[in-house]
Amino acid sequence: MSKAYAGETCVLAYSGGLDTSVAVAWLRETLGFEVVTCTGDLGATGDLEAVQRKAIASGAKKAIVQDAREVFVRYFVWPALQAGALYEDRYPLATALGRPLLAKLLVDAARAENARFVAHGCTGKGNDQVRFDLAVGALAPDLTVIAPMRGGMNMTRDEEIDYARRHGIPVEATKKSPYSVDENLWGRSIEAGVLEDPWDAPPRDVYHWTVDPDEAPAKPREVAIEFVEGVPATLDGARLDGVALIRSLNEIAGKHGVGRIDMVEDRLVGIKSREIYEAPAALVLHQAARALESLVLTKEVIRFKARVAQEYAELVYNGLWFSAHHQDLATYVRSTQRFVSGEVRVRFDRGAATVVGRRSPSSLYQTALATYGKGDAFDHKASEGFITVFGLPLRTQARTQALWGEGSEAALEIPRKALSAPGAAKPGPNKATKRKR
């Protein structure tokens, strides 16, 4: 493979971290590419000019940087929040949501540079390689994707650190603290190092956004979040854009120890992986959004939308953002959000976030129907006819099939279990049992 692409331009998705910094030099030194880096700021890049300088210092001939925070929130984060997308019911998909946008920026940069090749720094056992490859394939099937970490570089993290030092590339990772971290507005993902043992508790230095719940303020804090058609619009009465609202909520909830996730998840490539996440705003907003939906959506929509949420989360996690399946699911989700407007109060207390209030002008909750006190407008006698009709299939089956009648296995099973309970009375003789014996 040595110098096989001499003179060709390759646009590299560049984070400024260890893997992509080493990849810049390796693509030049080993394959002969002229490397252009492409960086999209999704909320954690920081000083874009510093990223440019680092890319150039690593060997890039050009470094493209873009502030993509607003686009990320509006077109990726909010739709996933409306869908209720939590992978395996816990992970709010921060990294997974960022990858399709970064892939789009990568393709745009390749077109602008007339490049036939793009590259990323994903490993061969992670999910991100799939997300980048599929997104590029959907947006620009004519481009060739190169993944140095998947073949060719073949370096351990310690070897990468040594390589970076030999080439004068500044990196934050050390052999003593070799965490792999990905960050954006919506969350922070941490893996590798001592975290690879799922029995060991995460060290304190893993967490940057959240305080230890035991060290959180003793006095709880409440916030009020307003949603407009499923999109967060205000925080404590202040109207904020999406970026500012997420940042504020990350800070407030994080100070109270809210937002930590420690899970073993199933990666797309077939392995289980121990992951640590920090996502204060994401977890709070998901919780608040579902609380508001409980007021305004019907039982049938809530039940079916939960299935859609699971499918949506799998789709995002598996890198299928740019698919017709996603477009179809997104259309349904948008329809469900027409009346999801209102306010939710959330209380933070030493690591716990609890919904303590919700209200909406489109609420289907009616006090006059729900109350057991004065003003009860529910027709109690109407329940008799309802129960008669609702229970008709059950009574019909009972008469014709006798699933619970004397002599049935289901009926005989109850006394056996009851006998094992302390102090249980011994049942009398059962004629059906005697006959069976």
Side-chain angles (χ1 to χ4, degrees), residues 307-376:
R307 300 176 189 172
V308 171
Q310 184 178 21
E311 183 71 12
Y312 196 106
E314 290 273 351
L315 176 152
V316 173
Y317 189 86
N318 293 344
L320 296 171
W321 183 271
F322 296 111
S323 67
H325 186 36
H326 173 233
Q327 292 176 5
D328 295 339
L329 292 182
T331 299
Y332 171 77
V333 169
R334 283 194 298 271
S335 178
T336 67
Q337 301 299 292
R338 290 170 295 164
F339 301 105
V340 186
S341 298
E343 287 184 283
V344 180
R345 285 189 8 255
V346 185
R347 178 178 297 158
F348 305 139
D349 188 5
R350 291 182 180 264
T354 307
V355 173
V356 294
R358 71 286 279 165
R359 64 184 179 185
S360 169
S362 301
S363 175
L364 299 179
Y365 177 91
Q366 302 294 316
T367 303
L369 294 176
T371 184
Y372 285 90
K374 187 177 181 180
D376 183 359

Side-chain angles (χ1 to χ4, degrees), residues 100-387:
L101 174 54
L102 294 178
K104 174 65 166 61
L105 298 177
L106 184 66
V107 168
D108 291 346
R111 295 303 192 211
E113 297 297 320
N114 294 315
R116 297 188 299 122
F117 300 88
V118 294
H120 57 70
C122 306
T123 68
K125 64 191 299 184
N127 300 304
D128 282 341
Q129 58 171 334
V130 180
R131 295 163 184 159
F132 271 108
D133 286 18
L134 293 185
V136 171
L139 297 171
D142 57 299
L143 295 180
T144 298
V145 179
I146 294 183
M149 293 293 295
R150 199 161 56 198
M153 278 176 55
N154 297 323
M155 299 183 199
T156 64
R157 289 188 63 78
D158 286 353
E159 289 170 342
E160 283 187 347
I161 293 170
D162 289 337
Y163 183 94
R165 287 173 178 165
R166 289 197 307 270
H167 288 76
I169 302 170
V171 292
E172 294 180 4
T174 65
K175 294 181 181 180
K176 184 178 180 181
S177 180
Y179 303 128
S180 176
V181 180
D182 183 79
E183 234 178 81
N184 61 42
L185 272 171
W186 201 229
R188 186 168 177 268
S189 306
I190 314 100
E191 62 181 15
V194 296
L195 300 176
E196 291 175 352
D197 187 343
W199 178 253
D200 289 345
R204 294 174 66 92
D205 65 349
V206 166
Y207 299 106
H208 288 187
W209 289 8
T210 57
V211 303
D212 189 309
D214 292 335
E215 299 173 3
K219 184 178 180 181
R221 164 78 184 269
E222 283 190 13
V223 297
I225 306 165
E226 180 188 4
F227 291 80
V228 176
E229 295 187 3
V231 174
T234 72
L235 181 63
D236 285 336
R239 187 162 297 277
L240 302 172
D241 62 55
V243 174
L245 190 147
I246 292 172
R247 282 201 182 283
S248 296
L249 197 50
N250 271 333
E251 182 178 353
I252 295 170
K255 284 182 178 179
H256 288 266
V258 172
R260 295 184 175 186
I261 304 170
D262 181 348
M263 65 185 288
V264 174
E265 70 186 41
D266 293 289
R267 286 187 178 177
L268 177 59
V269 295
I271 64 175
K272 288 186 180 291
S273 175
R274 198 270 188 92
E275 304 287 340
I276 303 297
Y277 299 111
E278 285 186 290
L283 294 187
V284 171
L285 289 173
H286 268 283
Q287 189 176 5
R290 303 296 80 79
L292 184 56
E293 287 183 342
S294 72
L295 274 184
V296 302
L297 299 184
T298 64
K299 174 183 175 181
E300 293 77 15
V301 171
I302 290 174
R303 183 178 68 243
F304 186 73
K305 187 171 180 290
R307 300 176 189 172
V308 171
Q310 184 178 21
E311 183 71 12
Y312 196 106
E314 290 273 351
L315 176 152
V316 173
Y317 189 86
N318 293 344
L320 296 171
W321 183 271
F322 296 111
S323 67
H325 186 36
H326 173 233
Q327 292 176 5
D328 295 339
L329 292 182
T331 299
Y332 171 77
V333 169
R334 283 194 298 271
S335 178
T336 67
Q337 301 299 292
R338 290 170 295 164
F339 301 105
V340 186
S341 298
E343 287 184 283
V344 180
R345 285 189 8 255
V346 185
R347 178 178 297 158
F348 305 139
D349 188 5
R350 291 182 180 264
T354 307
V355 173
V356 294
R358 71 286 279 165
R359 64 184 179 185
S360 169
S362 301
S363 175
L364 299 179
Y365 177 91
Q366 302 294 316
T367 303
L369 294 176
T371 184
Y372 285 90
K374 187 177 181 180
D376 183 359
F378 186 83
D379 186 353
H380 291 251
K381 289 192 65 65
S383 294
E384 295 178 5
F386 164 74
I387 294 171

Side-chain angles (χ1 to χ4, degrees), residues 387-404:
I387 294 171
T388 298
V389 174
F390 183 73
L392 179 60
L394 185 63
R395 294 194 303 276
T396 300
Q397 187 178 35
R399 291 190 185 99
T400 59
Q401 298 177 354
L403 293 179
W404 292 90

Side-chain angles (χ1 to χ4, degrees), residues 2-3 10 12-14 17-37 54-62 119-121 148-149 152-153 155 159-171:
S2 179
K3 305 298 182 180
C10 181
L12 170 69
Y14 183 72
L18 177 62
D19 293 340
T20 54
S21 294
V22 169
V24 172
W26 186 87
L27 286 168
R28 289 181 65 253
E29 184 178 85
T30 306
L31 301 185
F33 277 117
E34 292 291 337
V35 180
V36 173
T37 63
K54 184 174 182 180
I56 298 299
S58 299
K61 73 170 184 178
K62 183 178 181 180
H120 57 70
M149 293 293 295
M153 278 176 55
M155 299 183 199
E159 289 170 342
E160 283 187 347
I161 293 170
D162 289 337
Y163 183 94
R165 287 173 178 165
R166 289 197 307 270
H167 288 76
I169 302 170
V171 292

